[in-house]
Amino acid sequence: MTAVVAALERRLWFRPSTSWIVPAALVGVAVFLVVGSLRSSLFAQQTISGLANGGIYASLAVALVLIYRATEVINFAQGALATFTTYVAWQLMAWGLSYWPAFACTLGIAFAGGFLVELVAIRPVERRGSQITAVIAAIGLLILVEGSVGWIWGNQVKFMPAPFPSHIYNVGGVAFSRQDLSTIGISIAAVLVLWLFFRFTKVGLAMRAAAVRPQAARLVGVRVSWMLSLGWGLAAVLGAVAGMMAAASPSVLLQPSMMDGILIYAFAAAVVGGLESAAGAVIGALLIGVLLNLLGSYVSWVTPQLLLPVAFVVMLIVLLVKPSGLFGRTRVRRV
Amino acid sequence: MRLRRATAASVAVTVVVAAVIALLPLTLSNYHRATGASVAVFFVAILALNIVTGYTGQISIGHGAFMAVGGYTTAILTHDHGWSDLPTLPAAAIVGFVAGVIVGLPALRFHGVYLALTTFAVALAVPQLAKNYPNFTGGTEGLALPTHSGLWLYEVGWAVAGVMFVIAWFLLRGRTGRAFRAVRDSEVAAASSGVTLAVYKTVAFGISAAMAGVAGSVYVLVNNFVNPDVFGLTLSLYILIGAVVGGLGSLWGVLVGAAFIQLLPIALTTSHISSSQSVPVIFGAVVIGVMALLPLGAANLLRVALHFGSQSRQSSDIHLGTEGR
């Protein structure tokens, strides 16, 4: 076990970069946002709702990181799975459950669903070992899951009941919607619970070991393949949180393609964070959320249609300038 | 000598297939001719994807975006600038080539997963751009184009497909094709044998995108309209499905893949086995099944059947992009 723990010490969840530039830049951004918020109430409102969007992206981005760290596969179906679970929540509520019981049931169903998907669809492909095969299988899963949402529930837009009464808090002339604040709170809580799970439980330790050193973990008695299924289950739970928070927001409609755009923002967030760091993905997601919201409200030519291309350009710049992201390890490719 | 005999056999099969395709419209209704033309569109698009993903090993999930570029070139030139239909096809190829080189440049630095991410984002971003500049592209409503008879579309579609197939054939047989495959199988080995990775990867992306652009412009002619939703994510994913089902790295599989994408949904809905809603579900399940059981697709089915048991399992795995791990 010591070997595994030692390996983990070298690869912590939050792996700060040795360079001072990244933390300094982050502090700079934080100062800019706080000063801006103090000087203008519009700026403050846009920052808060940007953070709320960022919270949604963060849940999805952490789910992507979770699976990427374990298997080096980007789960292109993460958004579709989130949409599916959101429809499950909608269905439960249509059957008469109230919001929070439906929310809890959905998380349970999402966990079982993610676990099963790994077992049935991903594991047989994984055995063949090539990365591109796994990517294409994930694309197949995306088509399958998004298609079954349309098949089961139809392509018409559905209306999700709001979890919170539309209350507005007024703090010093700045209006904060309860919706935004709760979204931030729930997303952060979800990520935090997951972090505690990985940090302090034995299963969490086993999962990290399985991700970092599969061979060594197997030797000390960790069932690596079950840990991968478990990881997919947890990722699906995070996705479900993201999906339900997204459906509750007034700017997103519940339809089969609901998460397509959000998935790109989560990709961008995960890439900004370095694809392997969960904390990096959260910070990346909050940055992307705030950046897009501020650009959308202050730069006149950035229309809602352009937000996705802008996120793409951000991702491209990060990949070209610092491919390991803000918090990722620099990889050395041996020739 | 064996090689030459194999080539002769391939040429013979190609001639027979071409003859069947050429004679088929005589027995088809006008509607089915148009369907046949859209099979040709997917044939060209899957061929294009196969050059860059199947032969050069650079995954692209965003080929619908290149089709969009070509399609919009045709639509804008005919709708706003008074061009007639066919001269816009070379223009679409040129614009597509430029777009491909632009996307291919970052691809020089990205590997496997990162390239998949970037091209996926391109597939989603390009329709958004088309929506954002309505004066240029017609916005969400799109642009309408003159209609054509089913026979005209069929002939144009398959003539284009034939030309593209011949181009791909010669390209992949010779020096360039060998370089592409070397890049796919091992970048290190390719580079040390004198293959300039940057040049060949960019060229592969450019040629592939040029072909996809032509496919897009024929697609627009078949549909006789264009709007951003025509070139949505689904289109990109369907091209990938076709390439996977037919077999990455095989020219023979392209026809199978194109027929699968276009004809299976029609077969399912007209025979009332299942509704059109279930088509994506079936497609997704097929892709996962192919990846789990037969990663080289339909084209390899025969090969596997012939050599069952005698070959090692390793040889039926794809070796695309594994370098970047």
Side-chain angles (χ1 to χ4, degrees):
Chain A
M1 210 65 187
T2 44
V4 177
V5 172
L8 287 174
E9 295 297 337
R10 270 180 265 130
R11 195 167 158 165
L12 292 171
W13 247 56
F14 182 83
R15 201 179 22 247
S17 164
T18 46
S19 136
W20 55 272
I21 299 171
V22 169
L26 286 178
V27 169
V29 169
V31 168
F32 168 74
L33 290 177
V34 168
V35 170
S37 300
L38 290 175
R39 305 205 39 162
S40 146
S41 61
L42 175 70
F43 191 93
Q45 277 159 28
Q46 291 302 336
T47 306
I48 291 292
S49 61
L51 285 175
N53 293 343
I56 296 169
Y57 310 155
S59 307
L60 207 61
V62 171
L64 291 169
V65 167
L66 201 65
I67 290 178
Y68 183 78
R69 282 180 48 124
T71 53
E72 302 215 329
V73 168
I74 297 285
N75 184 8
F76 285 92
Q78 200 73 63
L81 288 169
T83 311
F84 192 94
T85 46
T86 311
Y87 270 86
V88 169
W90 177 87
Q91 186 65 63
L92 291 173
M93 279 180 255
W95 283 337
L97 243 64
S98 58
Y99 193 90
W100 293 107
F103 187 92
C105 285
T106 306
L107 294 190
I109 294 170
F111 180 79
F115 195 91
L116 270 179
V117 161
E118 203 278 339
L119 209 62
V120 175
I122 301 300
R123 198 177 289 184
V125 178
E126 207 71 319
R127 256 207 319 267
R128 308 207 63 119
S130 154
Q131 196 180 17
I132 225 112
T133 346
V135 166
I136 294 173
I139 295 282
L141 194 62
L142 159 68
I143 301 162
L144 176 71
V145 175
E146 203 168 300
S148 42
V149 170
W151 196 15
I152 300 172
W153 287 286
N155 290 321
Q156 299 87 355
V157 174
K158 302 248 187 279
F159 291 95
M160 190 85 166
F164 312 104
S166 55
H167 189 84
I168 303 282
Y169 298 104
N170 223 320
V171 183
V174 185
F176 297 114
S177 84
R178 182 165 170 187
Q179 171 68 42
D180 283 350
L181 295 178
S182 318
T183 305
I184 299 173
I186 289 176
S187 311
I188 289 177
V191 173
L192 205 64
V193 166
L194 197 75
W195 182 78
L196 291 173
F197 168 78
F198 274 110
R199 190 75 187 79
F200 293 109
T201 67
K202 210 166 174 186
V203 183
L205 179 68
M207 287 181 66
R208 284 152 68 206
V212 181
R213 292 283 154 83
Q215 301 296 343
R218 207 171 271 127
L219 284 177
V220 295
V222 174
R223 286 168 170 252
V224 172
S225 53
W226 287 112
M227 294 302 130
L228 294 184
S229 307
L230 210 58
W232 272 73
L234 290 177
V237 169
L238 275 177
V241 171
M244 281 185 279
M245 290 299 110
S249 118
S251 57
V252 179
L253 299 169
L254 184 55
Q255 56 190 5
S257 62
M258 172 177 83
M259 299 299 272
D260 282 358
I262 295 177
L263 185 67
I264 295 292
Y265 302 142
F267 280 162
V271 164
V272 168
L275 261 188
E276 293 201 8
S277 152
V282 171
I283 293 174
L286 295 177
L287 284 175
I288 297 265
V290 172
L291 174 76
L292 292 181
N293 232 22
L294 291 180
L295 280 181
S297 47
Y298 283 100
V299 182
S300 58
W301 55 266
V302 179
T303 56
Q305 283 88 31
L306 275 190
L307 291 181
L308 217 154
V310 166
F312 168 65
V313 169
V314 169
M315 184 164 101
L316 210 59
I317 291 173
V318 169
L319 282 177
L320 289 176
V321 176
K322 200 167 184 311
S324 55
L326 298 184
F327 301 98
R329 267 175 323 152
T330 314
R331 281 209 173 190
V332 182
R333 250 165 40 96
R334 246 170 285 164
V335 176
Chain B
M1 199 62 203
R2 266 192 70 186
L3 190 78
R4 192 173 295 167
R5 201 183 300 156
T7 315
S10 326
V11 169
V13 173
T14 313
V15 168
V16 170
V17 170
V20 169
I21 290 173
L23 295 175
L24 205 57
L26 299 176
T27 65
L28 292 176
S29 71
N30 201 41
Y31 169 76
H32 284 119
R33 285 170 185 161
T35 310
S38 58
V39 176
V41 169
F42 275 91
F43 180 88
V44 178
I46 294 169
L47 188 67
L49 181 62
N50 226 330
I51 288 176
V52 76
T53 301
Y55 284 91
T56 320
Q58 311 299 308
I59 190 165
S60 165
I61 310 177
H63 258 53
F66 299 129
M67 283 180 75
V69 168
Y72 270 105
T73 305
T74 290
I76 291 166
L77 286 178
T78 48
H79 189 269
D80 296 341
H81 300 278
W83 286 43
S84 62
D85 296 317
L86 294 180
T88 64
L89 296 186
I94 293 167
V95 178
F97 184 85
V98 173
V101 169
I102 292 173
V103 174
L105 283 178
L108 300 176
R109 299 192 51 167
F110 302 165
H111 286 274
V113 163
Y114 287 97
L115 192 57
L117 270 182
T118 329
T119 49
F120 185 84
V122 169
L124 277 167
V126 164
Q128 297 290 331
L129 287 176
K131 276 182 198 167
N132 196 52
Y133 300 104
N135 295 334
F136 187 51
T137 61
T140 320
E141 286 177 17
L143 302 170
L145 293 157
T147 54
H148 292 286
S149 76
L151 186 63
W152 188 87
L153 291 172
Y154 189 97
E155 283 169 348
V156 169
W158 282 106
V160 168
V163 171
M164 292 299 156
F165 186 79
V166 170
I167 292 176
W169 176 298
F170 280 110
L171 185 78
L172 295 171
R173 273 187 88 225
R175 190 187 167 84
T176 319
R178 269 200 307 280
F180 285 172
R181 280 191 289 272
V183 171
R184 172 190 71 186
D185 293 337
S186 166
E187 291 194 358
V188 177
S192 44
S193 315
V195 174
T196 325
L197 294 181
V199 170
Y200 279 97
K201 281 188 189 177
T202 321
V203 164
F205 252 100
I207 292 175
S208 173
M211 281 194 182
V214 173
S217 57
V218 180
Y219 195 46
V220 164
L221 295 180
V222 173
N223 285 332
N224 64 60
F225 75 95
V226 60
N227 73 19
D229 293 332
V230 170
F231 297 108
L233 179 63
T234 316
L235 180 68
S236 293
L237 297 185
Y238 278 20
I239 301 169
L240 187 66
I241 296 171
V244 165
V245 168
L248 287 170
S250 139
L251 286 181
W252 296 106
V254 174
L255 191 61
V256 179
F260 178 83
I261 292 295
Q262 274 297 297
L263 302 184
L264 182 76
I266 295 172
L268 285 176
T269 45
T270 51
S271 61
H272 301 287
I273 293 174
S274 139
S275 67
S276 63
Q277 292 276 20
S278 68
V279 166
V281 181
I282 294 168
F283 277 5
V286 167
V287 168
I288 296 172
V290 167
M291 281 295 114
L293 303 172
L294 197 75
L296 287 181
N300 203 39
L301 202 57
L302 202 67
R303 224 176 298 160
V304 169
L306 290 177
H307 295 275
F308 193 74
S310 66
Q311 275 190 330
S312 70
R313 280 178 73 91
Q314 276 185 337
S315 63
S316 64
D317 270 329
I318 332 178
H319 298 287
L320 307 177
T322 44
E323 283 285 300
R325 284 194 86 135

